[in-house]
């Protein structure tokens, strides 16, 4: 419910682009490249209009923005006490800013916040060296209820200006948590807001998958008697479970047109079957006389990664319309594939002598790279809608928890889910 | 004709009454030694005893598997043939064959592997003459370990099929 309240709030907070000088031009660090470096960001103290102090809400907004930025592994915040001359500016417009003190402390970027009137705020990020504005936005009627929305929208604009991809701040994560003897589906935004329980079922809810339109979450439901396909409609709050003819319903995955691919068995072998948008069996996608599970689709729905043990142990395969190519040849146990939205990379779980680890396979070059390093077991990776972040489950701190890394294997950030497994991204805003 | 019909109805009634009437001895008096066996029991007692025995054979004995395998060991086959005997005799019994895995695999693949284990037991029971309509399979993957803990001692107990009577 709150998810949709948030969406409507988005329209309340009116946005305007503030004179974008050199919008996205002078940024040279490509966070998508393999040799990404860290950038230093300084946050200036919020200012009020004409030298007046900023309103009380300014500190809230600053905290939320700071929290959002803490999820960006290529960004380091400059500790305020290291800035000689301090983080208090004379004014928030470009002519009033003394950039030299930020240059001295090694900041690459400076974020300013100016409150122009009652509830109206201008947020800007400047590049310190060129003294040019990277992104600027203004928001009106900002009150306590909208602080997080404004923080998310601004950080989205900032990420977009910096990288061309802002989806992270419009994404949500579904995941599985234990509820007594059962396991149920939960969801929250990618930066840990609006944590809520989606299903209230007695049994095991596993393998959530978000529909591309953000409305539905499909999942496996296992009770005392059978497997079913569960679907939660986030718009109505309704949760349904539906059995099928065979005895298994494993690893459902939404693809385009609200169709669902799922592994089902009628006998010892599990085939990947496509269900239409009314969840009726449309056709078989993979049938090999072995175990075929864990389908994952790119955003066009035309490339699918999956697991098959047709050659003995479980290995990753990719199928792009007819036929299937084996992708993994190292290791005897490779599972849990998640294909990038562009369909050019696959992250997956590999069993290694020191436990399960996440690897990234580049489908164009064939190169493979380990992106998590334990300790414990790292499993169930899922590519975020921006193709940059990767969520995964790990036991590195004891029980099951969900962590965020990048496709380059940045130092993982533990997400505030209070435990959980089966992370699954959705583009919900 | 009429007489035959009456006789049949009377016979059916008598049968129904004798089944429905619990604890009424049909054989010799109780306490007449080790040989009492079936003679010393009412139909209901006999049915209850058979059910207890069936429960013990069906639900008591689990079968175990090697790592990442769904091959039936000789021990597993022996256990399954005992279950098959009971199920062939008591065709009203219905059994859910549960396939389970240890925690070492990944969860989705293990759900498929658990189904293979359940199917291996299902097929063997069917080969031994059990009516497939008496059998259902379900895979729990690694959701319901029999033993908690990490190490082969626990894992070997968790790679298994369990058998549950349902009505």
């Amino acid at each position: 419910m709150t998810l949709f309240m948030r969406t409507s709030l988005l329209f309340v907070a009116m946005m305007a682009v503030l004179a974008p000088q050199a919008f996205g031009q002078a940024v040279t660090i490509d966070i998508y490249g393999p040799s990404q470096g860290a950038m230093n960001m300084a946050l200036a103290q919020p200012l009020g209009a004409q030298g007046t102090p900023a309103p009380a809400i300014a500190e809230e907004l600053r905290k939320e923005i700071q929290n959002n930025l803490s999820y960006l592994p290529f960004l380091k915040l400059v500790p305020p006490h290291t800035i000689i001359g301090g983080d208090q500016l004379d004014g928030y417009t470009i002519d009033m800013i003394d950039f030299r003190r930020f240059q001295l402390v090694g900041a690459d970027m400076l974020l300013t916040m100016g409150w122009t009137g009652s509830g109206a705020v201008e947020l800007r990020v400047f590049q310190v060296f060129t003294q040019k504005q990277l992104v600027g936005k203004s928001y009106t009627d900002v009150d306590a209820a909208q602080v997080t929305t404004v923080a998310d929208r601004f950080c989205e604009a900032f990420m977009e200006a910096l990288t061309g991809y802002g989806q992270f701040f419009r994404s949500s994560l579904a995941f599985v948590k234990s509820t007594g003897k059962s396991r149920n589906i939960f969801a929250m935004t990618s930066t840990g807001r609006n944590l809520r329980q989606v299903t209230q079922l007695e049994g095991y809810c596993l393998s959530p998958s978000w529909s591309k339109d953000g409305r539905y979450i499909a999942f496996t439901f296992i009770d005392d008697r059978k497997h079913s396909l569960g679907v939660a409609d986030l718009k109505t709050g309704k949760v349904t479970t539906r059995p099928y003819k065979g005895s298994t319903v494993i690893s459902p995955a939404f693809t385009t047109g609200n169709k669902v691919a799922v592994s089902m068995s009628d006998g010892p072998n599990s085939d990947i079957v496509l269900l239409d948008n009314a969840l009726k069996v449309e056709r078989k996608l993979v049938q090999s006389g072995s175990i075929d599970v864990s389908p994952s689709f790119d955003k066009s729905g035309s490339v699918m990664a999956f697991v098959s043990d047709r050659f003995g142990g479980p290995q990753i395969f990719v199928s792009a319309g007819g036929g299937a190519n084996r992708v993994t040849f190292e290791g005897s146990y490779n599972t849990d594939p998640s294909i990038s939205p562009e369909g050019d990379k696959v992250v997956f779980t590999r069993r290694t002598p020191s436990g399960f680890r996440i690897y990234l396979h580049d489908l164009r070059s064939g190169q493979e790279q380990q992106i998590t390093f334990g300790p414990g077991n790292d499993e169930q990776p899922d590519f975020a809608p921006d193709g940059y972040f990767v969520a995964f489950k790990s036991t590195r701190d004891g029980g099951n928890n969900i962590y965020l890394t990048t496709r380059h294997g940045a130092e993982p950030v533990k997400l505030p889910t209070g435990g959980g497994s089966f992370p699954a991204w959705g583009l919900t805003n | 004709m009429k007489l035959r019909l009456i006789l049949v109805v009377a016979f059916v009634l008598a049968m129904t009454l004798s089944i429905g009437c619990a604890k009424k001895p049909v054989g010799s008096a109780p306490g007449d030694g080790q040989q009492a066996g079936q003679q010393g029991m009412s139909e209901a007692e006999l049915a209850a005893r058979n059910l207890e025995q069936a429960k013990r054979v069906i639900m008591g004995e689990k079968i175990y598997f090697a790592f990442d395998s769904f091959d039936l060991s000789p021990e597993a086959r022996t256990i399954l043939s005992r279950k098959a005997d009971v199920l062939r005799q008591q065709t009203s019994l219905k059994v859910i064959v549960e396939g389970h895995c240890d925690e070492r695999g990944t969860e989705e693949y293990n759900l498929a592997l658990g189904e293979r284990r359940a199917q291996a037991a299902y097929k063997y029971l069917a080969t031994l003459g059990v009516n497939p309509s008496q059998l259902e399979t379900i895979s729990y993957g690694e959701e319901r370990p029999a033993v908690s803990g990490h190490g082969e001692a626990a894992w070997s107990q968790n790679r298994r099929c369990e058998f549950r009577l349902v009505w």
Side-chain angles (χ1 to χ4, degrees):
Chain A
M1 260 310 145
T2 3
L3 179 74
F4 297 97
M5 280 172 58
R6 285 171 46 79
T7 316
S8 56
L9 285 176
L10 164 66
F11 299 108
V12 178
M14 281 177 53
M15 287 194 292
V17 178
L18 295 168
Q21 303 164 15
F23 184 82
Q25 276 174 20
V27 182
T28 50
I29 292 181
D30 172 20
I31 62 155
Y32 286 83
S35 59
Q36 55 161 337
M39 301 174 99
N40 294 316
M41 165 85 95
L43 265 60
Q45 283 295 332
L47 294 172
Q50 282 107 38
T52 56
I57 198 170
E59 192 45 36
E60 287 303 306
L61 182 57
R62 195 178 124 99
K63 256 194 242 163
E64 294 296 345
I65 290 173
Q66 200 166 326
N67 173 61
N68 278 359
L69 297 179
S70 71
Y71 288 90
L72 306 179
F74 53 87
L75 208 64
K76 301 252 180 304
L77 293 180
V78 174
H81 69 269
T82 61
I83 304 166
I84 298 163
D87 57 358
Q88 185 81 36
L89 303 175
D90 295 333
Y92 50 79
T93 48
I94 199 157
D95 52 307
M96 303 281 278
I97 298 170
D98 167 25
F99 282 102
R100 281 168 307 172
R101 69 173 92 156
F102 297 102
Q103 264 179 38
L104 272 174
V105 79
D108 301 294
M109 288 178 290
L110 171 68
L111 190 151
T112 66
M113 187 195 297
W115 293 82
T116 54
S118 73
V121 65
E122 294 180 0
L123 294 165
R124 293 181 177 84
V125 174
F126 296 99
Q127 292 170 256
V128 170
F129 186 73
T130 60
Q131 305 192 1
K132 282 179 176 163
Q133 182 177 304
L134 176 66
V135 60
K137 296 275 179 190
S138 74
Y139 304 86
T140 55
D141 301 325
V142 180
D143 60 20
Q146 287 157 36
V147 163
T148 56
T149 309
V150 170
D152 284 354
R153 291 295 79 82
F154 180 69
C155 289
E156 178 191 342
F158 166 62
M159 266 290 272
E160 222 162 79
L162 202 59
T163 69
Y165 298 86
Q167 294 97 321
F168 179 73
F169 294 104
R170 288 189 283 127
S171 301
S172 290
L173 265 180
F175 50 95
V176 170
K177 265 175 81 161
S178 295
T179 49
K181 282 183 176 174
S182 297
R183 295 177 83 185
N184 273 288
I185 308 290
F186 288 68
M188 66 176 197
T189 70
S190 53
T191 56
R193 298 198 183 104
N194 196 16
L195 173 64
R196 62 213 185 272
Q197 186 169 346
V198 175
T199 62
Q200 316 264 355
L201 295 170
E202 279 184 27
Y204 308 110
C205 300
L206 308 171
S207 308
S209 168
W210 225 304
S211 64
K212 307 286 182 197
D213 64 6
R215 177 168 172 177
Y216 303 99
I217 298 173
F219 56 94
T220 288
F221 178 61
I222 306 175
D223 61 12
D224 271 344
R225 202 69 187 251
K226 62 190 178 305
H227 288 199
S228 322
L229 178 69
V231 176
D233 181 341
L234 299 173
K235 198 171 173 186
T236 62
K238 209 174 138 195
V239 176
T240 54
T241 61
R242 176 185 177 125
Y244 286 85
K245 190 171 144 270
S247 40
T248 62
V249 177
I250 304 172
S251 62
F254 266 108
T255 181
T256 48
N258 277 354
K259 295 182 177 185
V260 175
V262 62
S263 179
M264 291 182 174
S265 69
D266 204 0
N269 300 317
S270 303
D271 302 324
I272 297 174
V273 171
L274 185 68
L275 309 177
D276 64 19
N277 61 11
L279 303 178
K280 293 205 170 66
V281 174
E282 187 174 294
R283 64 191 161 98
K284 281 198 174 158
L285 291 178
V286 182
Q287 187 177 17
S288 70
S290 58
I291 288 176
D292 296 302
V293 288
S294 306
S296 163
F297 293 88
D298 72 340
K299 73 175 175 205
S300 76
S302 58
V303 188
M304 177 181 73
F306 63 98
V307 168
S308 180
D309 70 352
R310 61 189 68 181
F311 299 135
Q315 297 290 348
I316 310 296
F317 287 71
V318 167
S319 156
N325 292 322
R326 180 171 169 180
V327 164
T328 49
F329 291 90
E330 297 270 317
S332 59
Y333 197 106
N334 294 305
T335 57
D336 295 342
S338 169
I339 197 160
S340 64
E342 301 303 324
D344 58 345
K345 295 177 179 66
V346 180
V347 284
F348 61 93
T349 304
R350 167 170 292 161
R351 188 164 61 215
T352 74
S354 48
F356 287 112
R357 297 289 178 264
I358 311 297
Y359 281 73
L360 179 138
H361 184 102
D362 187 314
L363 291 169
R364 294 200 179 124
S365 67
Q367 284 194 329
E368 240 163 54
Q369 186 196 345
Q370 184 174 347
I371 60 168
T372 74
F373 300 88
N377 286 310
D378 303 329
E379 295 171 55
Q380 299 166 349
D382 196 48
F383 255 119
D386 62 4
Y388 177 67
F389 286 102
V390 175
F392 64 100
K393 176 193 95 166
S394 177
T395 57
R396 57 189 59 201
D397 296 317
N400 288 332
N401 276 289
I402 296 171
Y403 297 80
L404 195 61
T405 184
T406 67
R407 68 187 193 200
H408 303 300
E411 183 63 29
V413 176
K414 186 177 179 174
L415 293 178
T417 56
S421 53
F422 287 109
W425 295 95
L427 199 53
T428 46
N429 251 325
Chain B
M1 281 304 262
K2 235 178 191 175
L3 185 68
R4 263 183 73 180
L5 187 67
I6 288 165
L7 276 173
V8 168
V9 170
F11 179 74
V12 169
L13 263 174
M15 287 298 289
T16 315
L17 281 173
S18 76
I19 290 166
C21 189
K23 302 217 169 180
K24 190 172 185 182
V26 291
S28 51
D32 70 352
Q34 308 302 317
Q35 294 299 314
Q38 300 192 355
Q39 282 77 39
M41 294 181 141
S42 70
E43 297 272 351
E45 277 173 343
L46 193 62
R49 198 198 63 167
N50 283 344
L51 187 62
E52 275 315 302
Q53 264 180 358
K55 269 189 187 167
R56 223 173 22 249
V57 174
I58 303 290
M59 298 172 76
E61 294 184 294
K62 304 169 190 173
I63 60 172
Y64 297 95
F65 295 84
F67 175 67
D68 207 12
S69 163
F70 55 99
D71 292 334
L72 297 174
S73 65
E75 296 77 24
R77 284 168 197 266
T78 309
I79 290 169
L80 287 172
S81 64
R82 281 201 286 272
K83 295 184 199 296
D85 289 343
V86 171
L87 290 170
R88 273 199 316 267
Q89 281 162 23
Q90 303 191 46
T91 51
S92 62
L93 294 179
K94 200 160 187 195
V95 172
I96 292 191
V97 183
E98 300 178 358
H100 298 271
C101 303
D102 67 29
E103 61 172 3
R104 278 181 299 169
T106 49
E107 289 181 64
E108 290 179 352
Y109 182 73
N110 266 350
L111 277 173
L113 180 62
E115 180 65 18
R116 266 194 179 168
R117 287 179 175 157
Q119 287 285 337
Y122 170 97
K123 276 213 169 132
Y124 193 66
L125 290 171
T127 309
L128 295 175
V130 176
N131 187 341
S133 69
Q134 288 177 263
L135 303 169
E136 279 177 35
T137 60
I138 186 168
S139 171
Y140 285 107
E142 52 191 85
E143 292 301 315
R144 288 186 174 178
V147 179
S148 58
H150 320 288
E152 184 52 28
W155 295 331
S156 62
Q157 297 289 301
N158 291 333
R159 295 188 300 264
R160 69 196 193 280
C161 279
E162 290 196 22
F163 302 83
R164 185 153 46 96
L165 283 172
V166 285
W167 286 270

